[in-house]
Amino acid sequence: MNHSSPSDPSSDRSQPDKLSLSTKLAYGAGDMGAGITTILISFSLLIFLTEVAGLDPGLAGTVLMIGKVWDAINDPMIGMLSDRTRSRWGRRRSWMLFGSLPFGLSFFLHWLVPHFSADPQVNQWALFTYYIVVSILFQTAYTAVNLPYTALTPELTEDYNERTSLNSFRFAFSIGGSILALILGVVLTQLMPDLKQMYVALGGICAILSVFPLYWCVFGTRERYQTQAEPTSLSLISQFKIALSNRPFQFVSGIYLFSWLALQLTTTIIPYFVVSWMRRDSFFEVALIVQVVAIIMLFVWSEISKSLGRKAVYFMGMGFWIIAQAGLFFLPRDRMDLMFFLAVLAGVGVATAYLVPWSMLTDVIDLDELNTGQRREGIFYSFMVFLQKLGLGLGIFFVGQTLQWSGFIESAGSTTIPEQPDSALFAIRMAIGPLPTLFLIGGLILAYFYPLSREVHAAILLQLYERKHQASVKATD
């Protein structure tokens, strides 16, 4: 007897939608390079620019802002182009294949400190220009490989739980790559006291480790659910209007924006918090704790979501994260034990920020296909990331300017860590505590009103299945 529910169209098609372990591993490997590069740039680039390259915090923050704003601008363009790409490697994997080498090379160039002039002011502005150019090149290459990769998920499976599983593998590799990068940072810091040499070695090794997993993903996966329709002739603005008319997409965009603003602002400022407020020589241990706990919790939350749903998982994870984030503001300077405990709580919550919004987005894309008859993954993925990166760029710029206005003292490569004035310490604590906490609360509010439950998504898939079945019957008549 067949006990499958009519509201669950995937139940009678579960076997074809089940992906092999090799496919899931290959898909997950595609995000390893993004995890490596993102963690090092998020945690280390701002402090590298101020403490090793010698840029003042205002200029360093501007470098990161320009890179992120350009990243936000090029996302929609590459998303639309990937939607329209037709090649033997598929419309997504071809971008990953040919963008991999520029991605690795431009990442490596971040960690060089070229000398342009004996005049300190001229050299300062020349370095500022150099890092802006490198940042623009890297963000272009990053988008060319990572945006098509993220849009690949719904083309591999239509199954609700399989998509969540795919994202678990994806972020397991992503966080695993970030952990590997942080461990390399710890080891190389001990082996190479010269910070300039250490960052060159770290950048070179991580560039190589970021490129090769992309080839594993390209050759180890195959699109299964590509639309057969011709590329849409709508303009970019028209497609954005359609995307924004999708009400659940508005909620997912906001949830993602708030979650990742909190995460990225924290990773940017936490090196300054650990070094200047907690008076520690290295911030890598704290980052490692967060990432290790997050990678473990990814699979825990994935299992919990199968029974309770994504919204419940997001609420539970955010509860732990908010406690950790708010607690950092009140953390005494001599309590590293509490610092490590808060890092564990943060890791529990960070895992849901990795897992839930991206899983929600695949359901939104199915709804759009039901309403329009087209698959526009690239536009939806790119526009969500566009909002996140635009906000993040402005947020990092604000952090850099705030550090400069508060009187932060950069060491410019000196081995002696300067004691910061009270104004700078207060600015650092505000940026790591209250500000991210407000973003997390905003994400919780949006998640509460998110309209696509598991049952609603099952009904959407049922209608899509019936439409495709009717179309196939007509085609055979």
Side-chain angles (χ1 to χ4, degrees):
M1 180 180 294
N2 184 2
H3 296 281
S4 62
S5 169
S7 64
D8 185 7
S10 64
S11 59
D12 60 351
R13 297 180 296 132
S14 59
Q15 190 62 35
D17 264 352
K18 292 298 182 182
L19 299 175
S20 66
L21 178 61
S22 62
T23 297
K24 291 181 179 180
L25 287 171
Y27 174 78
D31 213 36
M32 183 174 176
I36 290 173
T37 57
T38 298
I39 200 71
L40 288 181
I41 287 178
S42 298
F43 274 108
S44 302
L45 186 56
L46 187 62
I47 200 168
F48 167 82
L49 293 177
T50 58
E51 306 300 86
V52 179
L55 290 183
D56 69 60
L59 290 180
T62 303
V63 169
L64 270 67
M65 179 197 70
I66 292 175
K68 283 298 178 185
V69 170
W70 169 246
D71 196 14
I73 293 172
N74 70 51
D75 273 344
M77 295 185 293
I78 292 178
M80 182 178 63
L81 290 172
S82 74
D83 276 348
R84 298 180 176 183
T85 297
R86 297 294 182 268
S87 82
R88 57 180 290 195
W89 299 106
R91 56 180 179 172
R92 313 299 180 194
R93 291 180 297 140
S94 57
W95 283 85
M96 297 166 61
L97 180 63
F98 296 109
S100 57
L101 288 179
F103 169 63
L105 178 60
S106 56
F107 172 75
F108 172 68
L109 293 178
H110 276 103
W111 312 106
L112 303 180
V113 186
H115 183 75
F116 293 101
S117 173
D119 186 324
Q121 280 297 106
V122 173
N123 195 60
Q124 176 95 171
W125 286 102
L127 282 172
F128 173 68
T129 304
Y130 168 80
Y131 289 118
I132 286 178
V133 172
V134 168
S135 183
I136 289 174
L137 291 175
F138 170 74
Q139 297 297 350
T140 303
Y142 180 94
T143 302
V145 297
N146 194 251
L147 180 62
Y149 167 77
T150 56
L152 187 62
T153 310
E155 297 187 356
L156 296 179
T157 180
E158 292 180 333
D159 184 80
Y160 181 93
N161 290 328
E162 284 293 278
R163 288 178 176 180
T164 302
S165 178
L166 272 180
N167 278 293
S168 296
F169 277 86
R170 170 192 172 185
F171 290 115
F173 273 92
S174 177
I175 299 177
S178 67
I179 291 173
L180 176 60
L182 292 173
I183 292 175
L184 285 172
V186 173
V187 173
L188 291 177
T189 300
Q190 298 297 320
L191 295 177
M192 306 176 71
D194 188 313
L195 288 179
K196 287 186 179 180
Q197 294 180 3
M198 188 277 290
Y199 275 110
V200 170
L202 181 62
I205 295 172
C206 288
I208 294 172
L209 293 175
S210 297
V211 170
F212 283 101
L214 288 169
Y215 298 133
W216 182 7
C217 182
V218 169
F219 297 114
T221 60
R222 179 178 59 86
E223 295 90 337
R224 305 168 69 200
Y225 294 97
Q226 293 188 67
T227 177
Q228 300 301 315
E230 291 298 316
T232 177
S233 60
L234 293 174
S235 68
L236 189 62
I237 295 177
S238 298
Q239 294 185 58
F240 275 176
K241 288 180 179 179
I242 292 175
L244 288 175
S245 68
N246 186 312
R247 187 166 175 268
F249 177 70
Q250 298 173 10
F251 283 92
V252 174
S253 297
I255 293 168
Y256 182 72
L257 172 64
F258 284 132
S259 300
W260 279 82
L261 271 175
L263 177 60
Q264 297 292 348
L265 285 176
T266 301
T267 57
T268 300
I269 201 68
I270 201 168
Y272 296 98
F273 181 82
V274 174
V275 171
S276 297
W277 177 252
M278 302 302 293
R279 293 173 289 203
R280 298 274 294 189
D281 293 334
S282 173
F283 59 88
F284 286 109
E285 308 101 306
V286 176
L288 274 172
I289 291 173
V290 174
Q291 296 299 95
V292 169
V293 173
I295 196 171
I296 295 171
M297 289 304 300
L298 265 179
F299 293 96
V300 175
W301 289 129
S302 180
E303 289 300 314
I304 294 175
S305 72
K306 292 179 182 179
S307 57
L308 299 182
R310 295 165 184 158
K311 184 184 293 188
V313 163
Y314 186 79
F315 267 82
M316 289 186 288
M318 289 302 105
F320 287 104
W321 195 357
I322 286 173
I323 293 173
Q325 208 73 52
L328 288 172
F329 179 79
F330 300 101
L331 186 65
R333 302 186 75 174
D334 59 347
R335 293 301 303 272
M336 278 305 299
D337 56 337
L338 284 180
M339 177 75 183
F340 292 141
F341 175 71
L342 293 176
V344 171
L345 292 184
V348 173
V350 164
T352 60
Y354 280 104
L355 181 64
V356 174
W358 286 115
S359 299
M360 286 178 169
L361 185 58
T362 59
D363 303 339
V364 169
I365 292 170
D366 288 334
L367 177 62
D368 178 68
E369 182 184 7
L370 180 65
N371 293 335
T372 67
Q374 300 180 50
R375 297 288 297 188
R376 289 189 292 258
E377 297 94 338
I379 289 297
F380 279 98
Y381 278 89
S382 63
F383 190 69
M384 185 168 79
V385 178
F386 171 84
L387 293 176
Q388 182 259 344
K389 289 176 179 176
L390 184 62
L392 178 59
L394 294 175
I396 292 176
F397 174 77
F398 172 77
V399 169
Q401 295 299 321
T402 300
L403 286 177
Q404 185 169 349
W405 296 335
S406 65
F408 180 86
I409 305 171
E410 65 270 15
S411 62
S414 171
T415 57
T416 301
I417 300 174
E419 180 66 29
Q420 299 297 335
D422 290 341
S423 56
L425 293 174
F426 181 76
I428 291 171
R429 293 168 62 216
M430 286 293 295
I432 204 172
L435 185 59
T437 300
L438 290 176
F439 289 137
L440 295 177
I441 293 173
L444 279 178
I445 294 172
L446 292 176
Y448 179 80
F449 293 102
Y450 176 67
L452 292 186
S453 64
R454 185 203 307 263
E455 293 73 23
V456 172
H457 180 247
I460 292 171
L461 284 183
L462 178 62
Q463 295 177 68
L464 287 173
Y465 177 69
E466 292 174 344
R467 177 190 293 175
K468 293 175 183 178
H469 178 70
Q470 292 172 2
S472 64
V473 170
K474 291 180 180 180
T476 56
D477 290 343

